[in-house]
Amino acid sequence: MPVVRFEGVSMRYGRGPETLRDVGFSLAPGSFHFLTGASGAGKSSLLKLIYLAHRASRGRVELFGRDISLVHAGDLPFLRRRIGVVFQEFRLLEHLSVFDNAALPLRIAGRKPNTYRDDVAELLHWVGLGERMHALPATLSGGEKQRLAIARAVVDRPDVLLADEPTGNVDPAMSLRLLRLFVELNRLGTTVLIATHDEELVARAARPVLHLEHGRLIEPGEAE
Amino acid sequence: MSGPFDLNRWKPGPLLPPRDARDGALVFVVAVLCFLACLTALAALAANRAADGWSAQLSGSATVVVRAKAGETPDSAAARAAETLAGVKGVSQAQALTKDKAEALLEPWIGRDALVADLPTPRLVTLDLDPKAPASAEALTKALHEAAVDAVVDDHSRWIADIERGAGLARWAALGVFGLIAAAAAAVITFATRAGLAARHEVIEVLHLSGAEAGFIAKLFQNRFAAMAASAGLLGGAAAVIVGVTARLAGGGAGLTPVLPLAWIDLLAPLPCPLIAALVAGLAARAAALRLLRDMP
Ligand SMILES: Nc1ncnc2c1ncn2[C@@H]1O[C@H](COP(=O)(O)OP(=O)(O)OP(=O)(O)O)[C@@H](O)[C@H]1O
Ligand SMILES: [Mg+2]
């Protein structure tokens, strides 16, 4: 059973034109995909459908084998908790410390602070923010914010990790390090989908690619 | 911020930013509403107390107007009536007013010149009734009738009914004003919650997308506004108590007697104000938050 499955999915913002058209694909459990495409092709929009920030206007979206249009509203939060998201624009909570930002999903899941304190600290050390745990996001560099966003996305061991341009603000060395983190999580069973422009990253990882053009998925080798 | 991060001293920070600029104005508005609600409550208590006092005084006494029969002086008729009435059950004291006193009572109504000596001035017998089981007007009339005294009994029941009606009206009016104030407070809090949700849209969305349930997010707003309203209620209630104490002290020993007699114990009425304010605000904020969250995907 695929973790994510799209079938004939279209989406639009409000009454605007269709941003995605007739998109179909599926992500097997434990798979690792890249999502590529020009700016404006609809990468972020497609991710929004998966992390349930937006609903499809047509077609069928399945998460963990469940048609989400049939899922009771009260169950949606629990589906969302199984999906970690690195937002393109980070979306850190500016009034909370680095540590509190990283711990947020655990807190929302209702875990007691003393059960996760050490794990959060360890993860922050791992992404190189061990010395900035007190800091507010506004005082972080772009790359540091990115690493914090990644830490928050993976802290609760999600079944699916969605990352939108996770290496957009870091140097090649850090980019490689983050890729290793994603690969490591993937090895532990997390299904990974990374939207990126970073050709070098895609080439280096040698993983299957979903390519979007003007809101349509294009098979590899298919002519434009 | 300085020094290494101490895991053992770490406490989770507040999920909503602790202060919004508009909080001060909101506290003021809610405090004023609480103040008005407490004043209403105090006024209702005082009105109640005044009504009780008046009807107790009235129901503890009765007046009998005695007319002399042929061959009897007014004084002896009044004396006979007083004697008869003193023996009725439920009467603790019966006293015939002397001619001078009766005339003194009548003078303001008919003037000194009209009080001609030979005009038969009706005599009054005043009765103090047993406060626990006062004699009824019928019982008094019957006793007078049996003793063949021509007299009319006034047990003040008409006045008592009026006072009780007035007191009842005052109670309902106070309740109505109280309800209006609570509704206004709820409306203000609802607006404030909406503004808070709009201002914190970024935070709410992150919580929402991280899998926070609507109830979890609503509770953040509920708790925040309940705490705000509790402190506003404390301020408003305290202000009302200060006004009450001032009235009590300025009005002498028994307060602004007899208009609005406030007892010291009445000044405890604003005590539940912070609790009620917190309850109203918490519920209003929760409802407003849940309604807005329902529209999220
Ligand atoms: N909130 C929105 N409301 C209306 N239109 C939107 C919204 N977000 C995106 N769009 C439009 O949808 C299309 C796809 O946008 P999307 O953000 O998915 O592209 P993208 O592939 O992620 O681009 P980038 O690589 O620049 O991040 C664009 O034409 C964009 O203008
Ligand atoms: Mg994008």
Side-chain angles (χ1 to χ4, degrees):
Chain A
M1 181 191 70
V3 171
V4 178
R5 202 169 85 88
F6 277 40
E7 196 182 299
V9 170
S10 299
M11 86 166 262
R12 49 164 28 120
Y13 290 99
R15 295 168 174 280
E18 285 192 332
T19 301
L20 295 175
R21 257 173 302 156
D22 201 22
V23 171
F25 67 93
S26 64
L27 305 180
S31 62
F32 191 130
H33 286 80
F34 284 105
L35 178 62
T36 59
S39 181
K43 302 182 295 295
S44 299
S45 303
L46 191 148
L47 294 184
K48 278 181 203 168
L49 290 179
I50 304 178
Y51 63 75
L52 303 177
H54 216 277
R55 288 301 182 93
S57 52
R58 276 194 291 136
R60 183 178 165 100
V61 175
E62 276 178 25
L63 288 180
F64 311 108
R66 298 172 71 181
D67 180 343
I68 64 118
S69 65
L70 302 179
V71 173
H72 187 264
D75 292 339
L76 293 176
F78 300 95
L79 287 183
R80 289 193 178 97
R81 286 180 202 176
R82 300 173 67 181
I83 302 170
V85 189
V86 183
F87 300 100
Q88 189 165 13
E89 62 283 22
F90 312 137
R91 301 206 179 186
L92 302 170
L93 300 191
E94 296 295 332
H95 67 286
L96 290 180
S97 68
V98 164
F99 193 92
D100 278 327
N101 266 286
L104 186 71
L106 301 166
R107 208 165 151 183
I108 287 173
R111 302 260 295 275
K112 293 268 169 296
N114 54 356
T115 64
Y116 59 71
R117 267 193 327 212
D118 298 332
D119 298 343
V120 173
E122 192 185 320
L123 176 62
L124 286 173
H125 279 291
W126 208 92
V127 297
L129 291 171
E131 306 304 314
R132 310 298 314 269
M133 295 201 280
H134 266 313
L136 290 176
T139 66
L140 298 181
S141 75
E144 285 171 328
K145 284 183 190 170
Q146 193 134 46
R147 283 177 273 150
L148 176 54
I150 292 170
R152 184 180 68 186
V154 305
V155 72
D156 198 17
R157 300 273 175 90
D159 294 323
V160 180
L161 175 68
L162 307 175
D164 202 347
E165 298 292 351
T167 57
N169 288 280
V170 295
D171 58 50
M174 181 50 79
S175 168
L176 209 62
R177 203 181 147 124
L178 293 177
L179 178 63
R180 277 213 300 276
L181 170 64
F182 296 136
V183 169
E184 188 58 38
L185 280 163
N186 179 239
R187 226 200 306 273
L188 292 171
T190 304
T191 307
V192 177
L193 178 60
I194 298 175
T196 186
H197 292 292
D198 191 340
E199 304 280 343
E200 201 181 332
L201 189 75
V202 176
R204 193 185 286 272
R207 300 285 179 154
V209 173
L210 299 169
H211 186 70
L212 274 175
E213 266 177 32
H214 305 297
R216 286 178 183 277
L217 270 185
I218 305 292
E219 294 301 321
E222 200 175 310
E224 179 141 333
Chain B
M1 287 283 158
S2 58
F5 188 80
D6 184 351
L7 263 189
N8 295 314
R9 280 176 43 206
W10 167 76
K11 277 214 214 66
L15 288 181
L16 288 180
R19 270 241 158 261
D20 283 335
R22 60 179 77 77
D23 273 5
L26 188 62
V27 169
F28 175 73
V29 172
V30 176
V32 167
L33 288 171
C34 289
F35 173 68
L36 294 176
C38 289
L39 279 192
T40 311
L42 288 180
L45 279 175
N48 227 7
R49 205 171 277 286
D52 280 354
W54 293 336
S55 44
Q57 278 171 26
L58 285 174
S59 61
S61 62
T63 315
V64 178
V65 183
V66 182
R67 282 184 294 259
K69 287 191 166 170
E72 196 179 30
T73 65
D75 284 334
S76 67
R80 213 152 56 76
E83 206 175 309
T84 307
L85 291 169
V88 176
K89 196 159 176 290
V91 176
S92 41
Q93 204 183 14
Q95 198 178 13
L97 293 188
T98 60
K99 182 167 186 284
D100 296 345
K101 267 201 165 163
E103 282 178 354
L105 278 174
L106 285 173
E107 190 190 320
W109 305 100
I110 57 178
R112 167 139 291 275
D113 295 339
L115 290 172
V116 188
D118 48 81
L119 200 78
T121 317
R123 290 298 149 82
L124 297 177
V125 176
T126 62
L127 302 178
D128 289 340
L129 302 178
D130 181 350
K132 289 195 191 75
S136 68
E138 293 83 57
L140 297 172
T141 309
K142 188 159 162 273
L144 289 167
H145 190 74
E146 278 164 7
V149 179
D150 179 12
V152 180
V153 176
D154 173 8
D155 67 349
H156 307 147
S157 56
R158 240 183 60 215
W159 311 116
I160 294 171
D162 278 353
I163 287 172
E164 272 165 7
R165 205 166 40 244
L169 270 177
R171 267 196 292 273
W172 280 113
L175 211 66
V177 171
F178 206 82
L180 268 179
I181 291 173
V188 168
I189 299 291
T190 302
F191 276 124
T193 307
R194 289 206 192 127
L197 277 158
R200 298 294 157 210
H201 200 261
E202 274 290 301
V203 176
I204 311 273
E205 215 165 77
V206 171
L207 296 177
H208 177 68
L209 293 177
S210 305
E213 291 169 270
F216 178 91
I217 297 173
K219 198 164 178 185
L220 297 175
F221 283 89
Q222 171 191 316
N223 290 348
R224 148 168 303 194
F225 283 103
M228 181 281 304
S231 55
L234 205 64
L235 287 175
V241 169
I242 289 171
V243 169
V245 168
T246 312
R248 187 76 172 70
L249 293 177
L256 292 176
T257 40
V259 192
L260 283 178
L262 261 183
W264 287 114
I265 186 101
D266 294 346
L267 296 178
L268 293 179
L271 211 57
C273 180
L275 200 74
I276 294 173
L279 207 70
V280 169
L283 286 177
R286 182 179 185 80
L290 283 178
R291 239 203 344 265
L292 288 176
L293 288 167
R294 238 191 359 228
D295 296 336
M296 287 195 152

